[in-house]
């Protein structure tokens, strides 16, 4: 009884996906701890078995996914990208099982155990600890410029990004994202104590146009100070040094320039500096962008609210002098009201139904069997293509039905076929596979030469996203340096 639902065919390359769930767990463990023995233990393997599996993955994908020796292992840029793309793929599969086979809502996703997040602002350690305590989520944090943070999200190196924009947050990058507001972020100016205008409570941008400024560039490469002046209808200063956040903070501390600050930025404290309100009340938008296929909406909303609460708390603790200006006091009261509403809205969200445990999740071998039945129209023809008997294929799909607690096959006098929900599930799966192959395996920075041992340290340099190299002969501590730390890890 063939169904009218069309299941898109996929390329021969994707009929046997090179990455299964156990492989993903091993790559995740390598990325989290950097030690081959510990990564093997977390994956339930011996070190030698983990080494062989990593070599097999390198050969299957044609990529160098890890850089390792007998004891140390870390993800290469290709491995990091495949890990994020693979995590997204399997969570899309889980979501499709929930929505198509079980008929549940689109938010039927459990929170990930570790959330990889890039940020353009230094996150406070207490925020990381609060996320572990109150949200049950570990944050693996990397810091970069606003533009590079979006690049990490678009390049499948992280699952979430905390950043800002002058004209508002980007509504889209080169992958599906959902945007959550963190703060309507007004700006002040930081001046040397001996500046002629330092004695005023409020100063004007127009009076500071001839000063030496330091500024960051936003996600669209817009220079913050220049854009603020343009939005105020003023000619931008002629002397603006554009640099990263850390260099800008150092220049402000030394009194080499003046600059803009905000509640979402860490304060620059020095006896020689003062903060003053601006007459023009310039603002920027700070927010959280997440991959909705990986991060459930309820978790993203609660994390955004936690970010807002921490920014407001830090503002009152560190910038109480600004509250002498009634405008700032009114702004703070308004932000607290909005935060209370968002927290209440987040609490009202029903938690998503729990996904099955690992023993009942659909893996790539299950997908291969179901795809064969869909592609060839019947159990008989699919069994012949898979080189197994019809009864054996039927039993294997029946065992999958028992594991999932869901019906996948429909039997009639005309034979055995997939149910309509199962075909709908497979129709969605084709797009997920295409994305995984295009993002996780396409555009590789460093493909393995034919016959090369998978992932072993080679005499040649391995390129990183920043163009740096992994030099042979470095010590274990040097090789493990630079990995983003997973805050809250055991």
């Amino acid at each position: 009884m063939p169904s009218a639902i069309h299941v898109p065919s996929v390329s021969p390359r994707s009929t046997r996906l090179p990455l299964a769930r156990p492989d993903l767990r091993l790559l995740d463990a390598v990325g989290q701890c950097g030690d081959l023995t510990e990564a093997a233990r977390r994956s339930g393997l011996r070190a030698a078995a983990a080494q062989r599996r990593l070599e097999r993955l390198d050969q299957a994908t044609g990529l160098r996914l890890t850089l390792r020796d007998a004891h140390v292992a870390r993800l290469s840029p290709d491995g990091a990208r495949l890990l994020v793309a693979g995590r997204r793929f399997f969570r899309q599969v889980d979501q499709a099982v929930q929505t198509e086979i079980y008929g549940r809502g689109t938010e039927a996703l459990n929170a990930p155990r570790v959330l990889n997040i890039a940020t353009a602002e230094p996150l406070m350690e207490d925020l990381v600890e609060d996320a572990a305590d109150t949200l049950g989520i570990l944050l693996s944090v990397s810091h970069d410029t606003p533009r590079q943070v979006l690049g990490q999200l678009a390049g499948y190196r992280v699952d979430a990004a905390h950043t800002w924009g002058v004209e508002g947050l980007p509504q889209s990058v080169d992958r599906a994202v959902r945007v959550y507001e963190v703060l309507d972020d007004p700006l002040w100016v930081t001046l040397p104590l001996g500046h002629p205008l330092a004695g005023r409570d409020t100063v004007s941008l127009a009076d500071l146009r001839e000063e030496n400024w330091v500024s960051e560039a936003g996600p669209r490469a817009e220079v913050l100070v220049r854009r603020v002046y343009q939005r105020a209808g003023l000619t931008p200063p002629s002397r603006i040094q554009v640099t990263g956040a850390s260099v800008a903070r150092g220049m402000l501390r030394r009194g080499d320039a003046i600059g803009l600050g905000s509640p979402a930025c860490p304060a620059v404290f020095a006896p020689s500096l003062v903060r003053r309100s601006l007459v023009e009340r310039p603002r920027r938008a700070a927010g959280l962008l997440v991959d909705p296929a990986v991060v459930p909406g309820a978790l993203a909303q609660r994390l955004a609210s936690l970010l807002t609460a921490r920014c407001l708390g830090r503002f009152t603790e560190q910038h109480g002098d600004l509250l002498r200006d009634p405008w700032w006091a009114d702004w703070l009261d308004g932000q607290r009201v909005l935060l209370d509403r968002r927290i209440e809205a987040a609490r009202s969200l029903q938690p998503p139904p729990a996904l099955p445990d690992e023993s009942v999740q659909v893996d790539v071998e299950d997908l291969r069997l179901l795809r064969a039945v869909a592609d060839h129209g019947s159990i008989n023809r699919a069994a012949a293509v898979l080189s197994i008997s019809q009864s054996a294929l039927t039993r294997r799909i029946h065992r999958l039905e028992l594991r999932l607690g869901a019906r996948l096959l429909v039997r009639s006098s005309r034979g055995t076929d997939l149910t309509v929900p199962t075909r709908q599930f497979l129709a969605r799966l084709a797009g997920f596979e295409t994305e995984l192959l295009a993002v996780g395996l396409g555009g590789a920075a460093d493909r393995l030469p034919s016959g090369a041992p998978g992932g072993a340290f080679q005499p040649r340099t391995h390129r990183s996203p920043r163009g740096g190299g992994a030099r042979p002969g470095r010590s274990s501590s040097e090789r493990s340096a630079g990995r983003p730390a997973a805050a809250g890890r055991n």
Side-chain angles (χ1 to χ4, degrees):
M1 187 166 48
S3 170
I5 295 176
H6 173 64
V7 178
S9 60
V10 290
S11 66
R13 185 182 184 189
S14 67
T15 58
R16 188 85 182 210
L17 291 169
L19 186 75
R21 290 184 190 267
D23 303 322
L24 190 71
R25 288 195 293 272
L26 178 57
L27 288 178
D28 194 20
V30 169
Q32 291 301 319
C33 63
D35 179 270
L36 184 60
T37 302
E38 175 60 18
R41 186 192 67 80
R42 294 187 185 188
S43 305
L45 300 170
R46 295 183 182 273
Q51 183 86 273
R52 289 193 298 271
R53 177 169 287 182
L54 291 173
E55 290 174 357
R56 178 184 62 78
L57 278 173
D58 284 351
Q59 295 299 328
T61 59
L63 305 175
R64 196 181 308 281
L65 301 179
T66 56
L67 301 176
R68 60 189 185 275
D69 58 18
H71 303 290
V72 177
R74 61 185 177 88
L75 294 178
S76 70
D78 287 334
R81 188 183 68 251
L82 182 60
L83 173 62
V84 174
R87 182 187 293 120
R88 174 178 168 82
F89 170 77
F90 283 111
R91 291 188 70 82
Q92 285 176 315
V93 170
D94 291 338
Q95 188 181 59
V97 168
Q98 295 290 310
T99 56
E100 302 300 340
I101 294 179
Y102 293 142
R104 295 175 178 169
T106 58
E107 289 292 345
L109 277 177
N110 291 336
R113 186 178 63 86
V114 178
L115 179 62
N116 295 320
I117 180 172
T119 176
E121 303 289 358
L123 288 170
M124 302 73 73
E125 287 302 315
D126 53 356
L127 171 74
V128 175
E129 294 170 2
D130 284 350
D133 291 339
T134 64
L135 305 183
I137 187 76
L138 307 181
L139 298 181
S140 179
V141 183
S142 61
H143 301 272
D144 218 323
T145 65
R147 188 173 185 179
Q148 291 300 321
V149 162
L150 284 186
Q152 288 195 54
L153 183 63
Y156 286 75
R157 293 190 291 277
V158 295
D159 300 313
H162 169 231
T163 189
W164 56 267
V166 181
E167 296 285 355
L169 285 167
Q171 294 298 310
S172 64
V173 294
D174 291 336
R175 63 187 284 195
V177 297
R178 190 174 294 166
V179 181
Y180 295 85
E181 180 183 350
V182 169
L183 200 64
D184 171 23
D185 207 16
L187 303 169
W188 59 72
V189 65
T190 299
L191 300 171
L193 184 60
H195 193 279
L197 301 178
R200 300 184 185 179
D201 288 335
T202 304
V203 299
S204 172
L205 288 170
D207 295 332
L208 300 171
R209 199 176 66 82
E210 302 303 322
E211 299 290 335
N212 184 35
W213 283 87
V214 64
S215 179
E216 293 181 73
R220 299 181 183 89
E222 293 179 324
V223 177
L224 177 60
V225 169
R226 184 174 296 125
R227 196 73 188 99
V228 162
Y229 267 83
Q230 290 171 343
R231 293 183 70 183
L234 301 171
T235 303
S238 58
R239 293 179 294 170
I240 305 177
Q241 181 165 338
V242 183
T243 184
S246 59
V247 175
R249 288 167 58 81
M251 291 182 64
L252 291 174
R253 181 176 289 275
R254 293 196 317 185
D256 296 340
I258 66 174
L260 298 174
S262 82
C265 295
V268 181
F269 289 113
S272 59
L273 299 177
V274 295
R275 293 170 299 279
R276 294 294 178 258
S277 299
L278 288 163
V279 172
E280 293 81 3
R281 307 300 182 191
R283 298 170 184 250
R284 65 178 192 176
L288 181 69
L289 292 79
V290 305
D291 181 344
V294 176
V295 186
L299 171 64
Q301 198 167 62
R302 292 176 65 192
L303 182 58
S305 296
L306 191 59
L307 280 164
T308 303
R310 280 299 166 193
C311 289
L312 294 179
R314 184 172 56 185
F315 173 76
T316 56
E317 293 169 5
Q318 299 179 350
H319 307 291
D321 55 327
L322 284 172
L323 295 176
R324 294 196 301 266
D325 183 339
W327 185 90
W328 278 101
D330 291 343
W331 171 85
L332 181 61
D333 289 342
Q335 292 298 306
R336 284 172 170 167
V337 170
L338 291 175
L339 175 61
D340 289 341
R341 291 175 183 170
R342 287 165 52 195
I343 291 175
E344 190 62 32
R347 286 174 180 166
S348 67
L349 292 176
Q350 293 295 323
L355 290 174
D357 59 34
E358 291 182 357
S359 64
V360 293
Q361 288 176 330
V362 175
D363 209 345
V364 292
E365 182 62 19
D366 305 317
L367 298 176
R368 188 172 76 96
L369 300 179
L370 296 176
R371 171 67 70 186
V373 177
D375 285 347
H376 300 285
S378 73
I379 290 286
N380 288 341
R381 288 190 289 271
V385 171
L386 295 170
S387 300
I388 59 177
S389 67
Q390 175 189 352
S391 58
L393 177 56
T394 302
R395 283 195 303 271
R396 290 170 69 172
I397 296 180
H398 181 58
R399 285 196 294 269
L400 177 59
E401 288 180 317
L402 293 177
R403 280 167 45 207
L404 292 176
R407 189 180 177 192
L408 305 176
L409 296 178
V410 57
R411 298 163 180 85
S412 72
S413 58
R414 300 179 60 183
T416 303
D417 195 12
L418 298 176
T419 63
V420 171
T422 306
R423 286 186 169 274
Q424 291 172 330
F425 163 72
L426 291 174
R428 293 185 60 190
L429 178 66
F432 306 156
E433 291 177 349
T434 300
E435 181 186 62
L436 174 62
L437 294 170
V439 175
L441 303 183
D446 191 11
R447 292 195 173 273
L448 283 175
S450 177
F457 284 119
Q458 300 292 322
R460 61 193 177 87
T461 298
H462 183 86
R463 294 190 298 275
S464 71
R466 296 173 182 270
R471 300 183 301 276
R474 294 189 298 169
S475 67
S476 297
S477 61
E478 286 176 315
R479 280 192 297 269
S480 61
R483 294 192 309 272
R489 273 200 327 265
N490 292 330

